[in-house]
Amino acid sequence: MIKYAAAVLVMLLIFLNTGCSSAPEKQYRVTRYLDLANTWTARGDRKRQEQKLDIALSNYNTAYKYAHLRNDLELMGILQLKKAMVYILLDKPDNASQFIEHARQLQVFEGAELSLSIKALEAKQAFEQGETQRASAYADELSAAYEGNIEKQIYYRWLSWMYTKNSLLPWEQMNQDLTQLELLKSKGDLNNIEVLSFVVYHNALWRVDHQAPETKQAIEQAIVHFSELELTNRVRDCYGLAARFYRQRGEIEKAHYFSKRQQRLSDSINVSNSSE
């Protein structure tokens, strides 16, 4: 009886040890490549926002390498489209078309869900090629497709306005959109800070272009926003808007001051770029 009890105890200890030792080793989903791909994608996004496009491309290529090693079809497609976006900015439409086609093949042949992302790049490409009506139509389709997503719906609505270069901008709607995005940010629910950056900058730009109400506040808001993100190139651009705004108003001393601030930031950016 004692031997039987001892045997049972030994077996119990074996099962317990097996359970304790094996549980932490059960890795059903490995994310090493995914983590690396996301890290390099974020670096590429940052460099693209800083307008350091060659570095952005290099970072996206590295991110793609890890996405490919993981065989993450959707992320591979998104990275191809991000590279296409950079080539659009570099005014290399043939290269952009090549990467858009790569993404489309992932969708057609392997079922990667990229249709809306592809349409977004096609809209940008159409706009750069002077096909503003087609670009605006695509943006309107995307805004409608994202009806349940406030953030993306606003983004594509503003893209449509940008593509049409509408001289009768709905300032009240713009204020509402900006308020909604700021609210999402304050609650920690904003998924993509680039959406807010796009809206904040174009709110200031369009108000300067149209000499609209609340232009001074829009410029100040944009300067604060981009300063917090340490996007010096955009802060520089905002000082350029301020200089133009005050020049339009005949406030030459203020215009001269903000023009000098713009130039000093440009000089600082050039020094920083040369040291990288």
Side-chain angles (χ1 to χ4, degrees):
M1 188 68 178
I2 294 174
K3 289 182 179 180
Y4 175 75
V8 171
L9 181 59
V10 169
M11 292 299 295
L12 180 60
L13 288 172
I14 289 173
F15 282 125
L16 286 172
N17 288 333
T18 302
C20 291
S21 62
S22 64
E25 296 174 6
K26 290 181 180 177
Q27 299 293 333
Y28 296 116
R29 184 172 182 270
V30 180
T31 62
R32 183 165 64 94
Y33 290 146
L34 178 61
D35 293 341
L36 286 166
N38 286 336
T39 296
W40 283 100
T41 299
R43 291 178 182 178
D45 289 343
R46 176 70 185 186
K47 292 304 177 183
R48 175 173 48 76
Q49 292 174 69
E50 293 174 348
Q51 298 172 340
K52 298 174 182 178
L53 301 180
D54 290 338
I55 301 175
L57 271 178
S58 176
N59 289 341
Y60 287 147
N61 284 329
T62 302
Y64 182 85
K65 177 183 73 173
Y66 291 115
H68 188 238
L69 286 169
R70 181 179 171 80
N71 199 36
D72 189 318
L73 301 177
E74 186 171 343
L75 184 54
M76 287 165 62
I78 292 297
L79 284 162
Q80 299 289 46
L81 294 173
K82 284 180 180 288
K83 287 189 277 186
M85 185 188 304
V86 173
Y87 280 116
I88 289 172
L89 295 172
L90 289 169
D91 195 23
K92 295 182 177 180
D94 291 341
N95 298 77
S97 295
Q98 177 185 349
F99 286 106
I100 292 172
E101 182 58 29
H102 288 170
R104 185 179 286 107
Q105 288 177 1
L106 284 169
Q107 176 178 287
V108 171
F109 296 116
E110 298 198 65
E113 184 44 62
L114 296 163
S115 57
L116 294 178
S117 298
I118 289 171
K119 181 161 286 189
L121 262 293
E122 288 176 334
K124 290 179 185 294
Q125 194 173 42
F127 177 69
E128 293 299 324
Q129 294 170 348
E131 300 178 45
T132 55
Q133 286 188 332
R134 185 160 70 95
S136 180
Y138 281 161
D140 287 339
E141 287 178 30
L142 287 161
S143 184
Y146 285 113
E147 186 176 359
N149 186 317
I150 294 173
E151 189 173 329
K152 289 186 176 181
Q153 186 179 43
I154 289 173
Y155 174 67
Y156 288 112
R157 178 159 60 234
W158 282 61
L159 268 187
S160 179
W161 293 336
M162 184 182 79
Y163 291 155
T164 55
K165 295 185 177 179
N166 195 337
S167 60
L168 296 173
L169 287 165
W171 302 111
E172 185 176 348
Q173 178 67 64
M174 291 169 64
N175 285 335
Q176 290 175 7
D177 289 348
L178 189 51
T179 299
Q180 283 187 300
L181 291 176
E182 289 284 7
L183 181 61
L184 287 174
K185 180 189 174 187
S186 69
K187 294 165 61 178
D189 293 332
L190 187 70
N191 291 312
N192 188 349
I193 191 64
E194 285 194 68
V195 172
L196 179 56
S197 293
F198 176 82
V199 168
V200 164
Y201 179 74
H202 282 83
N203 180 52
L205 172 65
W206 293 339
R207 288 181 189 277
V208 172
D209 286 345
H210 296 283
Q211 300 184 38
E214 303 177 17
T215 302
K216 181 174 180 289
Q217 295 90 327
I219 294 171
E220 291 172 349
Q221 180 183 22
I223 290 172
V224 169
H225 173 80
F226 290 111
S227 297
E228 289 177 349
L229 293 179
E230 297 186 357
L231 286 173
T232 314
N233 55 307
R234 271 307 192 204
V235 178
R236 173 204 60 201
D237 295 343
C238 291
Y239 277 118
L241 291 179
R244 184 149 61 93
F245 169 66
Y246 286 112
R247 195 173 298 114
Q248 289 170 351
R249 289 163 57 97
E251 299 183 46
I252 303 305
E253 187 176 355
K254 282 187 177 180
H256 182 63
Y257 170 83
F258 285 108
S259 183
K260 286 172 63 177
R261 290 284 283 120
Q262 179 189 22
Q263 185 58 53
R264 286 170 185 159
L265 283 171
S266 292
D267 294 342
S268 296
I269 291 169
N270 291 335
V271 170
S272 176
N273 290 345
S274 65
S275 66
E276 286 190 354

